[in-house]
Amino acid sequence: MADRKKAKARTAAWTRKEGKNPDGGLNEKGRASLRAQGQDIKRPQPEGGKRKDSYCARSAGQMKKFPKAAKDPDSRLRKARRKWKCNG
């Protein structure tokens, strides 16, 4: 049992619950763990701009690809789209 806890602690925070925002997306701890892996990740941009437009377009494709998640209002995809203030 102790080996499992050690193995879990070695995974990045963004892959675990503690690195995810309950409202969708990642929290600061999750973003920090991605930055430690060399990723350039920023906070959501709900006020508008190129990043918002790009995210909304990409996530709209995910809504088509994963209809089960698109129908569930509590799915991480739908929560993230609400956080980014995407239409639909």
Side-chain angles (χ1 to χ4, degrees):
M1 186 68 165
D3 292 332
R4 275 190 179 167
K5 287 184 179 182
K6 286 182 183 178
K8 190 171 187 179
R10 288 186 212 131
T11 61
W14 67 272
T15 62
R16 298 189 313 266
K17 186 175 181 178
E18 64 196 46
K20 296 179 181 179
N21 186 333
D23 296 329
L26 298 175
N27 60 22
E28 188 55 41
K29 186 172 185 174
R31 285 191 296 274
S33 71
L34 269 175
R35 276 190 219 104
Q37 293 181 351
Q39 299 291 322
D40 182 26
I41 187 156
K42 299 176 177 95
R43 297 192 66 193
Q45 187 182 22
E47 64 277 354
K50 289 182 181 181
R51 283 182 48 234
K52 178 187 176 184
D53 295 341
S54 178
Y55 173 77
C56 290
R58 285 193 318 272
S59 63
Q62 294 294 306
M63 296 274 282
K64 291 178 186 176
K65 188 173 182 178
F66 301 105
K68 187 175 177 182
K71 291 177 186 173
D72 181 12
D74 291 329
S75 70
R76 294 194 58 75
L77 175 61
R78 293 278 300 271
K79 286 179 178 180
R81 284 181 59 83
R82 275 196 298 272
K83 187 92 169 182
W84 280 79
K85 298 180 183 172
C86 297
N87 297 336

